[in-house]
Amino acid sequence: MAMEVKGRGNSTWVEEAYKIKLETAASLIGSAPQKDWVLLANYADRSNLRTSSAFALAARTRLAWTPQSRFVDLVVNGQPMGLYLLTEQVEQKTGRVDLPEDGYLLEVDQKLRASGDPGFRSSKGLLIGYKDPDELSNDQKREVKEAIDEFEKVLYGKRFADPERG
């Protein structure tokens, strides 16, 4: 099966994460057949459990979609590369992240400034990139930033646990 493999990620590219685009959709891990897949090196997580555990917890919630994943031992041209997490690509499309008409897909992106991708710094200093839609108006950008800043204000506020104001 023909495929295209390229480096991917923001903070993870240093750790050799890969995006795989198959010529024909395939069910690599028992999920619906897809063309886009990701191999995560989990380089910054020596337990190799952080992402996998987060996905497992998310799958037990009411989220409409959570990436399925499996651990794999990656071998390239006979050379062992180590343990990777093979996972579905997070992207806006039916069967993955189904955004409402006025929804946004955002990504925490520690290399946002260096990459030149569009995004902003939140009030708490988090670099956040826009994944979808591709083009946002200034009003939309302002709306997203205000929503994130309000979320952080509540999250880090004294009344976080208050059932009405938290």
Side-chain angles (χ1 to χ4, degrees):
M1 174 184 309
M3 71 176 84
E4 176 184 316
V5 179
K6 63 182 179 179
R8 76 157 298 274
N10 303 305
S11 60
T12 56
W13 173 233
V14 164
E15 296 87 27
E16 298 178 358
Y18 301 97
K19 179 175 180 182
I20 300 169
K21 186 163 191 85
L22 303 175
E23 183 177 61
T24 306
S27 178
L28 300 182
I29 55 177
S31 61
Q34 301 289 336
K35 286 186 176 184
D36 297 319
W37 298 90
V38 174
L39 282 166
L40 297 175
N42 288 315
Y43 182 82
D45 175 20
R46 292 298 180 200
S47 73
N48 288 307
L49 294 175
R50 188 170 47 215
T51 301
S52 178
S53 296
F55 286 168
L57 287 171
R60 293 181 175 265
T61 69
R62 294 183 191 150
L63 292 172
W65 177 77
T66 302
Q68 291 188 34
S69 62
R70 297 285 188 281
F71 285 106
V72 297
D73 286 315
L74 181 63
V75 177
V76 177
N77 297 327
Q79 179 70 33
M81 303 297 287
L83 185 66
Y84 278 70
L85 189 65
L86 176 64
T87 182
E88 295 174 294
Q89 170 73 34
V90 176
E91 58 188 341
Q92 192 285 319
K93 69 188 252 187
T94 302
R96 295 240 176 138
V97 179
D98 235 348
L99 290 178
E101 183 81 18
D102 58 349
Y104 304 97
L105 181 57
L106 307 174
E107 170 181 57
V108 174
D109 183 350
Q110 296 306 319
K111 294 187 175 181
L112 183 69
R113 297 294 181 231
S115 70
D117 291 338
F120 62 95
R121 184 178 297 276
S122 74
S123 61
K124 291 292 183 180
L126 210 55
L127 292 171
I128 299 175
Y130 305 110
K131 293 285 287 178
D132 208 291
D134 292 330
E135 299 290 325
L136 278 78
S137 70
N138 287 337
D139 286 343
Q140 288 174 309
K141 290 176 183 177
R142 187 172 30 261
E143 175 187 347
V144 169
K145 181 163 180 4
E146 287 172 359
I148 294 294
D149 287 346
E150 182 61 27
F151 171 77
E152 287 182 335
K153 182 178 171 185
V154 172
L155 181 65
Y156 293 99
K158 293 178 183 176
R159 296 184 177 159
F160 173 74
D162 185 294
E164 292 182 25
R165 301 197 59 182

